[in-house]
Amino acid sequence: QVQLVQSGAEVKKPGASVKVSCKASGYTFTNYYVHWMRQAPGQGLEWMGIINPSGGSTSYAQMFQGRVTMTRDTSTSTVYMELSSLRSEDTAVYYCARDQGADYVFHYWGQGTLVTVSS
Amino acid sequence: QSALTQPASVSGSPGQSITISCTGTSSDVGSYNLVSWYQQHPGKAPKLMIYDVTKRPSGDPNRFSGSKSGNTASLTISGLQAEDEADYYCCSYAGSSTLIFGGGTKLTVL
């Protein structure tokens, strides 16, 4: 069965960077796009961007341009999301999700990774 | 790019029907039949309920249905059940390989 397993919780200081991983299993990794979203405490979902695991091409939401980098490692079927210049407002649960073939629909979700930014 | 507009909360009694609206613009909801809806229970990851405006994932209850008119999409839940109490989010394709979410709606089953 399709599974997306994310890395564990992180605590970072303002100004630092965080890199969250999302390991895929149960399907052909390079066939489906992976998206990243986040959800601040008590707030709604925000779409951050998308990566095509096949060629590595990406598209990011305007508000994260310049601070976010999404990459993948096809040898381990893992995608990564790195967010730099962290500030307290970046404290959130970060989710990866897989679509069903460039349909821009989140059919499968990771369990979420809590990133806390605090001095 | 502003979030899609959803009511902050809706409520209904068991067995009733409710509708949650999701208003965007001619650049997102109005231009593409790529609106999806997600249900999220507290502390859990969201779950896909409707995609491509009207389609349901296989195996999901047909009490959930979607529609769209102009720049506004809607999610209707019929025969409300206690387990439907959750937060609901709409999401639309916005062009250039980007997506945008609604602010979320808290559904209370009275």
Side-chain angles (χ1 to χ4, degrees):
Chain A
Q1 72 282 22
V2 175
Q3 278 197 306
L4 299 172
V5 179
Q6 298 183 220
S7 48
E10 303 258 17
V11 179
K12 296 291 182 181
K13 293 194 182 304
S17 297
V18 67
K19 192 170 187 177
V20 180
S21 67
C22 172
K23 183 172 175 59
S25 62
Y27 69 96
T28 302
F29 176 67
T30 51
N31 283 2
Y32 301 98
Y33 293 8
V34 174
H35 302 253
W36 286 91
M37 276 71 63
R38 75 177 187 181
Q39 186 170 36
Q43 303 300 309
L45 294 163
E46 277 186 298
W47 181 80
M48 299 180 69
I50 181 176
I51 180 168
N52 178 352
S54 178
S57 60
T58 56
S59 177
Y60 303 135
Q62 194 168 6
M63 69 173 293
F64 297 105
Q65 291 272 5
R67 280 211 304 147
V68 69
T69 305
M70 296 177 188
T71 56
R72 93 289 190 217
D73 182 343
T74 56
S75 68
T76 60
S77 298
T78 302
V79 297
Y80 299 91
M81 185 284 299
E82 184 170 22
L83 189 62
S84 62
S85 302
L86 290 170
R87 34 207 188 234
S88 59
E89 309 90 88
D90 294 317
T91 293
V93 175
Y94 289 76
Y95 291 102
C96 63
R98 198 209 85 175
D99 72 14
Q100 197 78 319
D103 65 354
Y104 298 96
V105 179
F106 315 125
H107 292 263
Y108 301 95
W109 292 72
Q111 82 275 20
T113 296
L114 175 62
V115 174
T116 303
V117 183
S118 173
S119 55
Chain B
Q1 206 172 23
S2 300
L4 306 176
T5 300
Q6 297 182 232
S9 63
V10 298
S11 62
S13 300
Q16 287 186 330
S17 294
I18 63 95
T19 296
I20 299 172
S21 61
C22 169
T23 301
T25 69
S26 57
S27 298
D28 38 64
V29 175
S31 286
Y32 308 97
N33 288 324
L34 293 174
V35 176
S36 50
W37 289 89
Y38 301 88
Q39 175 192 66
Q40 187 180 34
H41 288 109
K44 302 291 189 182
K47 176 188 175 185
L48 174 65
M49 304 305 291
I50 293 288
Y51 66 101
D52 293 354
V53 178
T54 61
K55 298 177 182 176
R56 272 190 313 275
S58 58
D60 275 18
N62 58 11
R63 298 185 297 104
F64 292 77
S65 62
S67 62
K68 191 185 87 166
S69 177
N71 297 337
T72 298
S74 298
L75 172 71
T76 297
I77 308 174
S78 58
L80 267 180
Q81 299 180 1
E83 60 261 34
D84 299 332
E85 184 162 297
D87 294 327
Y88 291 84
Y89 294 91
C90 62
C91 183
S92 174
Y93 183 71
S96 302
S97 297
T98 65
L99 292 156
I100 185 169
F101 276 102
T105 297
K106 181 177 180 60
L107 169 62
T108 301
V109 180
L110 302 170

